[in-house]
Amino acid sequence: MSQSTAIISKKKGNRVFLLVVAVFACAVLTIFNYNTIKVVSGINAYISGESTYSKNQKEGVRHLMTYLVYEDPVEYELFLQYISIPSSTGSGLHGLLNSSSDSFVRESLSKGQNPPENIDNIIWLYKGFRHYKFMQNAIAIWWQGDSLVNQLIHLGVDINKATPFADSKADSLLKRQFFNEINTLSIELTSKEIEFSAVMGRVGRKSASILFWVNAIVITIMLTSVVAFSNMLIYKLEKSKRKLKKINTGLVATNDKLDNFIFATSHDLKAPINNLQGLLNLLFMIPATDPVQENIRNKMNASIVVLNANINRLEQLMLIDSKPDADGAEIELQDLLFQILEEHKEFIDAADTSVSTHFELEKLRYSESGIKEIILNLLSNAIKYKSPDRSGEIKISTYLKDGFFVLRFADNGLGMDVSLHGDQIFGLSKRFHKDLSGSGVELYLVKKIVERNGGMIKAQSEIGVGTIFELFLQKP
Amino acid sequence: MKKFKSTLIIDDDPISCFINQKIIERTELTQHIAVVHNGAEALEYIVKDVSANSETGNKPDLIFLDLNMPGMDGFEFLQKYKALERNYWENVEIVVLTSSNNQTDINKTKGYNVMAYLTKPLTVESLNSLFKQEDNRQ
């Protein structure tokens, strides 16, 4: 493995590591927060259960004392009813400690007036944390409380057995003793209940504190990873941007060099060819001494004409730009066409071709050089593919179609199978034929000029009938 | 066909100068032909060698100008020539004669009262056609 590959691989490894850390931190935070919420809900359920436990126990004590004073059996019944609530909660606790069935535990806790959602939390917290010190402390206090409740129930039973009390000194002393016992048990129970609440409260506060710190630490880890990961991505993006910019600058420079090279080469090629042509023209002014000499001069002339035309076209192709033309102007099409036809009169007459026009739209805002190139190339193309069997007819018209200014160019030339060649008719042939008729440069140039100015070109053609080009130049 | 008193050919290529000279002689367009090889030489010829105010001097009234030349090229010449005093360029016809038919080059010569833009090689036909047209216009 090369050094650069090793560095790339290491950087990629760092990115993956940071991403894994961020995802892992997210997962840890989610699980931790879920469990913390469950713990806090469990603690709340225990505290709420204790509150119900305590209220009913105190109410039971009150009715037992009233029963001792007034000996009304209704008060005893009420005592039994109220004390059964903390007693049932106590049974639930026994069930938990002795691993009794969930249904027994739920039934007992339900009788102890614990709401169903609290019961779930009570069971979950006990099962999950029974081996933790805070839970063992709380259970021990609860256990002691239950033992006191049982003593209270036994005391109630004893009082009920001793009722009615006689108006004797002995019974009076017994009653006082019962009072004292109820009082002692009640004080002890209150103390246990306060102790239980304190233990659970401490656990709740500690949970909240742990929750805060764990969240703070994990979020810091997560943010650090994400920021580091983002920085790596930004750095990578900026590096790519710099690299692209460098490549682009290089390309622009190469392109400029290429343009200069093409310009210099075409000038260097054209100058001697033009001179050759000029010298040959001078030679033509001297009468030929024999027919062979004249034949050779004619062939030389024909070769130079072709060579010159090929170089001109090559230059046009190399310099064709993809940017829209900047020389937009209002053009009188009839005037422009007249000018072009005048300039190329000899060429068109020699090709036995006539040009007619029908302009529904006479003015066009377009690049003058662009539209001139288009018309010239289409004329050249039509003449090149003229049918040898008939005089050439070119019909040029303009109209509005689909919101576009359309320039239509129809000829009665050889025609071609558009379905067979498709868009290839606008393609550039792979070589310049010695015979220009095969070069296909004209249509390529026309398409380029139309497209770079935001238009499009369509062709219809029939073999032996002719070809129609519709140039959708622009929306007026 | 319009006749000129003195013609100046500005071209760095000696063969091209030879052809141009022969063709111009053939058309009998002018009484006198001078040849220089770049813009700087042309300006020197116009300003120093020929007394612009002299009736007897060969002040050119027709110039054939190539564009791509070493040293001062045709574009720079046009700029500096037009910056001279009026009597140097008044009533002087300029024909750009170059191997480039680049539209950008053509556009760059606009604004300097260039009479025509011809591509090399110069032919008797193109000269006849140009000055016949000029006669018709006049």
Side-chain angles (χ1 to χ4, degrees), chain A residues 375-438:
Chain A
I375 294 173
L376 262 176
N377 279 295
L378 287 174
L379 271 174
S380 165
N381 181 69
I383 289 170
K384 198 187 278 181
Y385 295 106
K386 178 187 162 295
S387 168
D389 306 332
R390 53 184 177 266
S391 294
E393 280 176 20
I394 297 168
K395 291 176 184 166
I396 306 173
S397 52
T398 59
Y399 46 86
L400 203 65
K401 187 176 174 184
D402 301 334
F404 272 88
F405 184 111
V406 177
L407 177 71
R408 185 177 186 271
F409 214 93
D411 67 51
N412 65 339
L414 291 169
M416 61 195 150
D417 190 348
V418 177
S419 64
L420 199 66
H421 300 292
D423 250 13
Q424 282 179 359
I425 59 167
F426 300 110
L428 201 55
S429 52
K430 285 174 185 164
R431 65 188 179 89
F432 285 90
H433 297 263
K434 197 174 177 187
D435 172 9
L436 262 184
S437 65

Side-chain angles (χ1 to χ4, degrees), chain A residues 5-276:
Chain A
T5 319
I7 290 167
I8 290 166
S9 170
K10 196 181 168 191
K11 282 182 180 168
K12 198 177 170 187
N14 285 345
R15 283 201 300 277
V16 171
F17 172 73
L18 286 170
L19 204 62
V20 167
V21 168
V23 170
F24 181 72
C26 253
V28 165
L29 203 62
T30 308
I31 294 166
F32 181 80
N33 281 348
Y34 172 77
N35 282 296
T36 311
I37 289 164
K38 287 281 280 181
V39 167
V40 172
S41 304
I43 290 164
N44 280 341
Y46 272 82
I47 290 172
S48 159
E50 182 277 327
S51 171
T52 311
Y53 182 101
S54 168
K55 274 177 205 158
N56 287 293
Q57 169 261 312
K58 283 184 170 52
E59 201 59 21
V61 167
R62 188 174 68 80
H63 285 293
L64 186 60
M65 282 188 162
T66 312
Y67 177 57
L68 195 60
V69 175
Y70 297 109
E71 297 173 16
D72 181 354
V74 175
E75 291 296 329
Y76 182 67
E77 285 303 317
L78 283 169
F79 159 72
L80 289 178
Q81 199 181 317
Y82 277 108
I83 208 70
S84 73
I85 290 165
S87 172
S88 295
T89 304
S91 302
L93 177 70
H94 280 275
L96 281 174
L97 294 176
N98 298 324
S99 307
S100 303
S101 70
D102 257 20
S103 58
F104 170 76
V105 174
R106 278 174 194 284
E107 200 185 328
S108 303
L109 291 173
S110 186
K111 280 182 187 163
Q113 289 189 346
N114 291 286
E117 60 273 18
N118 280 7
I119 293 172
D120 287 340
N121 290 331
I122 288 169
I123 295 171
W124 181 86
L125 191 68
Y126 173 78
K127 284 185 175 170
F129 294 88
R130 63 187 153 190
H131 302 301
Y132 287 79
K133 200 179 172 189
F134 82 90
M135 199 66 203
Q136 284 175 349
N137 282 347
I139 297 292
I141 295 164
W142 193 351
W143 185 259
Q144 289 161 13
D146 277 348
S147 160
L148 292 169
V149 166
N150 280 335
Q151 286 179 42
L152 197 62
I153 292 168
H154 287 302
L155 185 62
V157 171
D158 289 347
I159 290 169
N160 189 37
K161 278 181 187 165
T163 307
F165 293 96
D167 200 12
S168 63
K169 196 176 177 183
D171 272 12
S172 181
L173 277 172
L174 185 61
K175 254 184 164 180
R176 184 173 290 275
Q177 191 190 331
F178 280 140
F179 263 119
N180 286 340
E181 281 180 36
I182 293 170
N183 206 27
T184 309
L185 283 173
S186 185
I187 289 167
E188 279 183 42
L189 268 166
T190 302
S191 157
K192 293 295 163 197
E193 283 155 9
I194 290 168
E195 214 179 316
F196 182 82
S197 291
V199 169
M200 287 319 232
R202 271 201 303 278
V203 174
R205 283 190 296 280
K206 200 167 181 182
S207 298
S209 168
I210 292 170
L211 180 68
F212 171 78
W213 285 111
V214 170
N215 269 282
I217 292 164
V218 176
I219 286 172
T220 306
I221 293 170
M222 218 159 72
L223 276 178
T224 311
S225 311
V226 170
V227 167
F229 184 73
S230 309
N231 276 345
M232 272 188 167
L233 284 185
I234 290 166
Y235 173 76
K236 208 184 161 199
L237 272 175
E238 279 181 351
K239 207 174 157 189
S240 304
K241 212 170 136 188
R242 280 199 298 274
K243 204 173 163 187
L244 271 178
K245 205 175 164 186
K246 204 173 159 188
I247 292 170
N248 203 30
T249 312
L251 277 176
V252 169
T254 310
N255 224 16
D256 285 348
K257 272 187 207 164
L258 196 64
D259 279 353
N260 288 335
F261 171 76
I262 291 164
F263 182 78
T265 310
S266 80
H267 180 261
D268 290 352
L269 282 174
K270 277 159 86 176
I273 290 167
N274 287 333
N275 284 346
L276 267 178

